[in-house]
Amino acid sequence: MYVGMQGDRKMGRAWKIIFFSLLWSSCLALEGGMLTPKESRSREIKELNGVWKFRADFSKTRNTGFEQRWFTKRLSESGPVIDMPVPASFNDITQDPRLRDFIGWVWYEKEVWVPQRWTAVDSGQRVVLRVGSAHYNSIAWVNGAPVTQHEGGHLPFEADITRLVQSNPSQPCRITIAVNNTLSLHTLPPGSIQYMSDETKYPAGYFVQNTNFDFFNYAGLHRPVLLYTTPKAYIDDITVTTDFADSTGVVNYVVSIKGSSNPSVTVALSDKEGSVVATASGPAGMLKVVDVNLWWPYLMHENPGYLYSLEVHMTAKSGSSQYEDYYTVPVGIRTVRVTSHQFLINSKPFYFHGVNKHEDSDIRGKGLDWPLIVKDFNLLQWLGANSFRTSHYPYAEEILDMCDRLGIVVIDECPGVGIKDIRSFGNESLTHHLIVMEELVRRDKNRPSVVMWSVANEPSSELAPADYYFKSVITRTKSLDPTRPVTFVSNSNFNRDKGAPYVDVICVNSYFSWYHDPGHLEVIQIQLNTQFEDWYKKYQKPIIQSEYWADVVPGLHSDPPMMFTEEYQKIVLQEYHAVFDRKRKEYVVGELIWNFADFMTAQSTTRVVGNKKGIFSRQRQPKTGAFILRDRYWKLANETRRLAARYP
C-alpha cells in the first residue's frame, strides 16, 4: 500500500499493521463470491450515488490524512471540503489544475441513514457496503472503523458492515473512502514516480507520475457505491456453464452458501416469457432445456442475446433462526471453441468485426454514465459492430449487462497494460496479476457475452522473464475458467514473443503507415500480409487484428491524402481491409478498430487534447471512417450469417 509520496516505506508498513489489526477487530473484508447486487424477495439496495464531501491531501507527503486520522470524524472537521459527484473521476470536475493532475490520496465522505429494518439486531439481515470501482488503491471506514482495503482499479470490492450499523442505529452512517491513484512498477497498470531534484528547474519535492499507457490516469470513485442486504445465511456465489446438443440445452450450476452448514437449495430456469422450463434441487446440478433458444451474437441470428433466468432459492437454519434467500442470474446458453484457424460460437464460425473502447467522456472521465452507455450501444448497433475489447481494463458491470442482452461479444481484458519494465515481471507483480485475474473471472464468469479473457496489452513480451510470467497468468486463468480461450495483445516480434506459445488466439496490434513508415500508404498491404503470414506459420493459431488505425482531426482535409486528415484515414482503412478480406478466408478471425471514440490522454507533444484515433469524436459525432466501417461491418454481418447457415 503506497502512503507517502516521498517513498516513506516505514510509514506505509506501520499504517498497514495498524489498519489490519483494527480491521480484524471490527469487520472482515468479504471473500468468495462477487455477485452483482440485485433486489429480490430477500434483498434490498440503497444507492449512495450523488454528491459526496471530498478533500485531496495536498500535503508534501500526501500522508496528512492518516497522520491526523481524518476518518475518525467528519471530513469537514479536518479542513476545507468540496462537493464531488459519485460516480465520476475527480480530475475534470473543478477548475483547479492541481486537482486535474493530482497524484496521491483523496478522501470521500457521505453520511446516510440506514433503514431501521436493516439495523435491528434481530432483523436477521447482513448489511454490505459495495464499491463498484475505485482507482487505484482504496481504504474504507464506517463510523471511523476500517472495514476493507482493496488494491487495483476497475473491479468491485465489498465489506460486511452489519455490526457497525447495528451498534448505533439512531445516528447516520458515516462512510469514508480514501483513494490513491499512485502507480508503481508492481501495480496494474504499472507506473513509476520520478522526482525532479534540480531545484534550479523544479520546486522542492516536485515529482511526476510516469506511465507506459496512452490514456489519462483518471481517478476517484468511478462506479456506484451502495449498501445492500442479504439474510445472515445467504447465497454467496453461483457458477454457471452451458452446452447444447442438437435442440437440447444444458445448464450446469454450482451454488455456494454461507452462514449455514446444511442449507436447502432449489433452482428454476425460466425463458424470456417467464415460463419455467427446468428445475432442480441441490447446491450443484444440471438442467436440460428442450427446444433451446441459444445465445447468439448481434447480427449472427434473428434472435440475438437470448437470456434465460436462473432463480436460486435457498432456505437454511442457523441456530433457532430460519433464513430464506433468492438470487437470479441471467443465463445465455452458448458454447465457445477455437480451432487452428477459426473462432466458433455455437459451433459456427464467428468473425469479430468491432471496436476497442475506453470508459472516457467529457467532465465525468471514467465515471459511469447511463446516457453515455446507451448512446454508445446505439452507435455500436448503427455501426454493425458485433464485438469490442474492454481496452485496457474491465468495464462496468452495467456495460456488460447491456452486452449480454444485446448480443455484443466481449474480449474481457484486465488492466495489464504498459508492462514494459523488466522489474514488472517479478514475483510481486505476478502475485498481484494473478489476484486481479481471479477477481475478473469471479465477477464475469457467468456472462455469455464474454467469450475470451485477455491478460495484457502490449507488454514487453520479448523479455526473458515474460515466458514464466505469462505461462503462469494464462495457466491460472484457464484453471479458473476452462470454458473460455485466453489471449493477450502483442506488438512484439513474432519470433521473439515469449507469451504467444501459451495463448489460444493471437491478437496483434500494428499501425502501418502511422507509427511505422508514417505517411507511406503504399507499404500497408505488403507489411500487413507479412505480419499475418509470420505469426500464423509459427503458431498455427487464429489471428485477430486487435488494433489498427490513424489519428484524424475532424474536418481536416487534404488531397493527396496527408496524415491527420479524413482522406488519409479513408485510405488506411481501404488498404487494411483489402488484406483482411484475403486472410479472413484462411485464419484471420477478427478486426477491431482503434478506437471507438476519441479519448483523453496525458499531455504530450504527440497528442492534441487527447488521442484522435476515434471513428467518433469524444462527443460521439461520426468521422468519415465511421461511415466506411458501417458499410463494411453490415456486409460482413450478412456474410457471417450466410456462412453460419451452411454449417450444421
Side-chain angles (χ1 to χ4, degrees), residues 178-219:
V179 183
N180 191 330
N181 63 341
T182 305
L183 301 176
S184 74
L185 289 172
H186 308 298
T187 58
L188 281 183
S192 62
I193 296 294
Q194 181 180 3
Y195 294 94
M196 308 300 189
S197 57
D198 186 347
E199 295 190 8
T200 66
K201 296 181 179 179
Y202 305 100
Y206 191 83
F207 64 88
V208 293
Q209 170 78 77
N210 292 322
T211 61
N212 288 314
F213 53 82
D214 187 31
F215 54 92
F216 192 75
N217 186 31
Y218 279 116

Side-chain angles (χ1 to χ4, degrees), residues 130-293:
R130 182 182 179 103
V131 180
S133 169
H135 188 72
Y136 177 78
N137 193 9
S138 309
I139 304 173
W141 297 260
V142 172
N143 297 331
V147 295
T148 191
Q149 183 265 347
H150 185 258
E151 183 180 356
H154 317 292
L155 289 166
F157 55 95
E158 298 183 334
D160 185 332
I161 64 170
T162 308
R163 281 178 288 173
L164 289 173
V165 298
Q166 288 179 350
S167 64
N168 195 1
S170 62
Q171 297 294 322
C173 175
R174 178 168 48 82
I175 298 169
T176 308
I177 304 175
V179 183
N180 191 330
N181 63 341
T182 305
L183 301 176
S184 74
L185 289 172
H186 308 298
T187 58
L188 281 183
S192 62
I193 296 294
Q194 181 180 3
Y195 294 94
M196 308 300 189
S197 57
D198 186 347
E199 295 190 8
T200 66
K201 296 181 179 179
Y202 305 100
Y206 191 83
F207 64 88
V208 293
Q209 170 78 77
N210 292 322
T211 61
N212 288 314
F213 53 82
D214 187 31
F215 54 92
F216 192 75
N217 186 31
Y218 279 116
L221 297 179
H222 285 154
R223 296 174 190 158
V225 181
L226 52 86
L227 301 177
Y228 74 91
T229 66
T230 75
K232 287 187 177 178
Y234 60 97
I235 300 163
D236 177 63
D237 197 15
I238 303 168
T239 302
V240 173
T241 60
T242 65
D243 202 345
F244 69 94
D246 298 325
S247 61
T248 300
V250 175
V251 177
N252 300 294
Y253 72 90
V254 178
V255 179
S256 171
I257 304 295
K258 285 195 174 182
S260 175
S261 60
N262 190 27
S264 173
V265 176
T266 60
V267 300
L269 188 72
S270 301
D271 61 19
K272 268 190 174 181
E273 287 69 43
S275 299
V276 175
V277 297
T279 60
S281 60
M286 181 178 71
L287 301 168
K288 290 187 177 181
V289 184
V290 179
D291 296 326
V292 64
N293 287 295

Side-chain angles (χ1 to χ4, degrees), residues 17 75 194 302 318-319 400 405 412 416 422 432 447 504 520 528 540 588 621:
I17 294 170
L75 193 58
Q194 181 180 3
E302 67 272 6
S318 182
L400 295 183
R405 292 196 301 270
D412 207 352
I422 196 168
H432 179 51
R447 296 188 175 280
D504 298 299
H520 294 280
L528 184 58
Q540 298 292 300
V588 170
Q621 294 303 308

Side-chain angles (χ1 to χ4, degrees), residues 21-186:
S21 64
L22 288 170
L23 178 64
W24 281 101
S25 66
S26 57
C27 299
L28 292 175
L30 292 185
E31 297 178 354
M34 191 54 68
L35 296 174
T36 303
K38 295 179 182 179
E39 291 194 318
S40 71
R41 283 176 278 182
S42 57
R43 300 181 175 217
E44 294 183 85
I45 291 176
K46 182 180 178 67
E47 289 193 353
L48 307 184
N49 300 337
V51 177
W52 289 49
K53 298 300 181 186
F54 177 89
R55 185 178 182 190
D57 186 345
F58 285 109
S59 65
K60 191 174 182 180
T61 64
R62 303 294 199 259
N63 206 41
T64 298
F66 293 100
E67 294 169 350
Q68 298 180 358
R69 298 170 64 85
W70 289 356
F71 51 87
T72 61
K73 54 191 175 183
R74 286 179 172 171
L75 193 58
S76 58
E77 296 178 36
S78 70
V81 297
I82 63 174
D83 289 340
M84 185 61 62
V86 172
S89 302
F90 63 73
N91 307 80
D92 293 341
I93 300 299
T94 75
Q95 303 307 109
D96 188 345
R98 297 181 306 159
L99 192 59
R100 183 181 188 278
D101 295 307
F102 182 81
I103 301 295
W105 288 103
V106 298
W107 295 72
Y108 288 81
E109 179 196 84
K110 193 173 185 69
E111 290 189 351
V112 298
W113 283 101
V114 179
Q116 190 173 19
R117 63 186 178 278
W118 294 8
T119 58
V121 176
D122 60 353
S123 67
Q125 297 287 308
R126 293 168 66 246
V127 180
V128 181
L129 170 68
R130 182 182 179 103
V131 180
S133 169
H135 188 72
Y136 177 78
N137 193 9
S138 309
I139 304 173
W141 297 260
V142 172
N143 297 331
V147 295
T148 191
Q149 183 265 347
H150 185 258
E151 183 180 356
H154 317 292
L155 289 166
F157 55 95
E158 298 183 334
D160 185 332
I161 64 170
T162 308
R163 281 178 288 173
L164 289 173
V165 298
Q166 288 179 350
S167 64
N168 195 1
S170 62
Q171 297 294 322
C173 175
R174 178 168 48 82
I175 298 169
T176 308
I177 304 175
V179 183
N180 191 330
N181 63 341
T182 305
L183 301 176
S184 74
L185 289 172
H186 308 298

